[in-house]
């Protein structure tokens, strides 16, 4: 951004004309998030193709009730030290750096935060389109280890409205995702629905009854739905929209044979009623045998 871009950013709700693929609704979420996290804001910005670096600072960002007057914009003088991450930026590179100061007193579990970021931005991190660091340590994309007994099934469908639904579905290796992991960081079964790579909702079965503790808990996958509008808080899609209905119309029949495959595999591993009855009889006989051994003192020295 340059000075004009910063001025436009400061006007809540303003900016370039919204595209149908934009995740934002009113262009205020980022600014509001800064005020939620801290009281002061500092912003460094540079437009690609320019040598000028611009700086903006507000010590009353979270509490200001009136528009501030920050004077005429001027580039940061070359004599002013820049953050190390910006000092070596070339002319062709553009950037925006936001520093939030006087942060609110909150307690964060670093590993929980790391999981949320790696989960929410998994696809973008995996592709290398995004880099996130916490205390200088890079956040890795959330691993979704698959069971080697089943290959992923690619998804490439066209809805009645002409949109493409692309992704994959596979079998999650539960043994690698459940050991020693807290309930907050467990991976739920079902399809993960993303919007331009950002996770919006997970555990989706598109009209099929999901089984979170049974056979379908191992069903995992991702679908990109950049043409369906997310809700303002980015935790779900607009399920009343024609776009979502069109997605369900193609995804439900696509998943049907896969759901049956997972269900049959689970049923095949279940013991029949007769087998369970036999097992209970054998267990009872073994228990009685051990009781006799202890009572009759069959083993000398015991």
């Amino acid at each position: 951004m340059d000075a004009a871009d910063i001025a436009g950013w400061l006007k809540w709700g303003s900016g370039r004309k919204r595209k149908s693929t934009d995740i934002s609704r009113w262009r205020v979420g980022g600014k509001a998030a800064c005020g939620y996290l801290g009281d002061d804001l500092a912003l460094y910005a540079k437009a690609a193709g320019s040598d000028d670096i611009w700086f903006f600072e507000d010590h009353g960002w979270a509490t200001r009730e009136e528009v501030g007057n920050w004077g005429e914009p001027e580039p940061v003088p070359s004599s002013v030290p820049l953050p190390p991450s910006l000092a070596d930026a070339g002319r062709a590179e553009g950037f925006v750096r936001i520093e939030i100061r006087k942060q609110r007193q909150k307690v964060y579990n670093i590993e929980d935060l790391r999981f949320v970021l790696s989960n929410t931005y998994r696809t973008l991190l995996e592709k290398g389109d995004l880099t996130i660091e916490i205390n200088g340590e890079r956040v890795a994309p959330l691993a979704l280890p698959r069971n080697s007994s089943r290959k992923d099934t690619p998804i490439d469908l066209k809805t009645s409205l002409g949109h493409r639904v692309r992704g994959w579905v596979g079998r999650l290796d539960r043994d690698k995702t459940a050991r020693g992991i807290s309930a907050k960081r467990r991976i739920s079964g079902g399809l993960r629905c993303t919007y331009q790579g950002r996770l919006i909702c997970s555990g989706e079965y598109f009209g099929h009854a999901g089984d979170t503790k049974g056979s379908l808990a191992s069903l995992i996958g991702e679908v990109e739905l950049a043409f369906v509008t997310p809700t303002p808080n980015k935790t779900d899609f607009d399920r009343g929209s024609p776009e979502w209905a069109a997605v369900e119309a193609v995804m439900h029949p696509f998943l049907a044979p896969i759901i049956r495959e997972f269900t049959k595999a689970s049923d095949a591993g279940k013991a029949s009623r007769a087998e369970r009855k036999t097992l209970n009889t054998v267990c009872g006989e073994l228990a009685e045998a051990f009781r006799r051994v202890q009572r009759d003192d069959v083993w000398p020295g015991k």
Side-chain angles (χ1 to χ4, degrees):
M1 298 196 300
D2 57 17
D5 294 324
I6 294 174
W9 182 77
L10 289 171
K11 296 178 182 179
W12 284 54
S14 67
R16 63 173 174 78
K17 185 177 180 180
R18 186 180 184 277
K19 298 179 181 178
S20 60
T21 54
D22 286 347
I23 195 171
S24 64
R25 291 285 192 91
W26 300 288
R27 303 182 181 88
V28 299
K31 293 185 277 288
C34 292
Y36 171 79
L37 294 171
D39 294 328
D40 286 13
L41 179 144
L43 183 150
Y44 297 85
K46 174 184 173 299
S50 172
D51 293 321
D52 293 334
I53 299 176
W54 305 85
F55 177 75
F56 166 80
E57 188 174 37
D58 186 359
H59 296 293
W61 184 259
T63 56
R64 184 179 300 281
E65 296 181 357
E66 298 179 356
V67 178
N69 181 6
W70 292 279
E72 292 297 321
E74 296 181 357
V76 179
S78 58
S79 59
V80 175
L82 295 174
S85 61
L86 309 181
D88 297 329
R91 180 182 178 84
E93 183 178 356
F95 60 74
V96 174
R97 174 190 174 98
I98 295 177
E99 297 178 358
I100 300 172
R101 303 164 181 170
K102 293 186 179 178
Q103 296 177 11
R104 306 293 174 82
Q105 293 300 313
K106 299 180 185 296
V107 177
Y108 295 99
N109 181 297
I110 295 298
E111 292 310 310
D112 286 344
L113 176 61
R114 187 182 303 279
F115 173 80
V116 170
L117 293 174
S118 67
N119 181 36
T120 303
Y121 301 102
R122 193 196 89 83
T123 302
L124 297 172
L125 292 168
E126 189 173 62
K127 291 181 178 179
D129 294 339
L130 177 68
T131 300
I132 301 176
E133 292 184 359
I134 299 178
N135 294 338
E137 184 178 348
R138 182 167 291 191
V139 175
L142 178 68
L144 298 177
R146 258 85 88 200
N147 191 306
S148 60
S149 64
R150 187 189 190 282
K151 292 184 178 180
D152 291 348
T153 301
I155 301 173
D156 189 356
L157 307 169
K158 187 176 182 180
T159 72
S160 60
L161 299 179
H163 300 112
R164 306 297 298 193
V165 179
R166 293 186 172 94
W168 58 270
V169 59
R171 184 185 295 277
L172 190 67
D173 190 334
R174 280 287 167 191
D175 290 338
K176 295 182 179 179
T177 60
R179 295 174 183 169
I181 299 176
S182 70
K184 290 183 179 180
R185 302 176 207 154
R186 285 181 186 159
I187 302 170
S188 61
L191 268 68
R192 301 161 54 87
C193 304
T194 62
Y195 188 96
Q196 296 188 20
R198 183 203 191 278
L199 180 67
I200 299 297
C201 61
S202 58
E204 184 59 48
Y205 292 92
F206 292 102
H208 294 279
D211 186 355
T212 58
K213 294 183 179 180
S215 58
L216 297 185
S218 296
L219 188 151
I220 194 70
E222 289 181 324
V223 287
E224 171 63 28
L225 304 177
F227 53 88
V228 186
T229 303
T231 57
N233 61 0
K234 315 299 187 297
T235 59
D236 205 349
F237 288 94
D238 180 1
R239 293 176 181 255
S241 65
E243 290 81 7
W244 179 265
V247 171
E248 278 200 327
V250 295
M251 284 299 300
H252 184 85
F254 173 84
L255 284 177
I258 299 176
I259 297 285
R260 288 195 296 270
E261 172 196 338
F262 275 66
T263 304
K264 287 181 179 179
S266 177
D267 291 341
K270 293 180 180 178
S272 65
R273 183 177 181 181
E275 290 171 333
R276 291 196 300 271
K277 185 176 180 180
T278 301
L279 178 61
N280 289 333
T281 301
V282 172
C283 289
E285 292 175 351
L286 286 174
E288 178 61 25
F290 281 118
R291 282 194 295 269
R292 288 179 179 176
V293 167
Q294 292 177 336
R295 185 176 61 248
D296 298 340
D297 197 20
V298 174
W299 294 336
K302 296 293 183 181

